[in-house]
Amino acid sequence: MRARLAAMGQGHWLAFYGLVLGAWALLYAMQLPPDLVAAARLIGPELWEALCTVEPGLAGAPTLFLMWAAMAAGMMAPTALPALLTYDDLRVAEAGSGAGFVLLAGGYLAVWLGFAALATGVQIGLAEAGLVTPLGSSASRWLTAVLLAAAGLWQLSHIKAACLARCRHPLGFYMQHWAEGPWRMGLRLGLVCLGCCWALMALALVGGVMNLAFMGGAMVLMALEKLPVGRRLTRPLGGLLLLAAVLVPVL
């Protein structure tokens, strides 16, 4: 345990922690008035407010993408911790450098940045149709019901189960794909994780894209799903989501 903690104090791990903390700090800061944000004092409160204000249509795309990208880094990077720890152990056993860890994490996050770009486009389209509010939460009971039902059905799907099996057994994943190198393994790992979690991430449009309580709860939930204990969680959660989808339109 002491050796593991010492290894997790190396530079590449510190960069990983910094990325996650920076993403959460950005999400928090984007919700504060400009006069309370230190960055606003450096670049000017008017510029900070402009950066954090979601404009209608495509004009708001950069800010929305920044929000979704920060959500992806802050929420999804911690859920990959078991897989990253396993890779680091294998890397050390082969006397490899921390550069491989950076490439693996980079490939993983690249997939989630692609998801952030797609989610940005979807949110803009839904906003133009009047189905979501400017703050990114559903303005339609039927949209809420569809999102809940989609997430519930995905929880019960064979694809979700297959993706979770790989997430819960990262050693087998690396043994199968080790020859591909860390970048391609990172992309594969990101796609597997996307298969696990995209529907739960999409529920941000129900809980609110900038709702920190929702984001924190969803991050813990998705992290638990990728652990062995998650076997007792995934299908009951799917049932609860389907029940909520039925109840929302009639409440």
Side-chain angles (χ1 to χ4, degrees), residues 15-30:
F16 176 79
Y17 308 145
L19 173 69
V20 174
L21 291 175
W24 280 103
L26 177 60
L27 289 169
Y28 178 70
M30 291 180 78

Side-chain angles (χ1 to χ4, degrees), residues 64-70 72 111-121:
L64 285 178
F65 176 74
L66 181 62
M67 289 180 185
W68 279 101
V111 172
W112 280 105
L113 287 178
F115 173 84
L118 179 61
T120 297

Side-chain angles (χ1 to χ4, degrees), residues 23 132 185 233:
V132 300
M185 282 195 297
L233 180 65

Side-chain angles (χ1 to χ4, degrees), residues 31-51:
Q31 300 181 70
L32 295 176
D35 57 340
L36 296 180
V37 183
R41 301 189 186 101
L42 296 176
I43 66 175
E46 295 82 7
L47 180 55
W48 178 262
E49 188 171 13
L51 287 172

Side-chain angles (χ1 to χ4, degrees), residues 54-77:
V54 179
E55 299 290 339
L58 291 177
T63 300
L64 285 178
F65 176 74
L66 181 62
M67 289 180 185
W68 279 101
M71 285 173 60
M75 295 172 66
M76 301 315 306

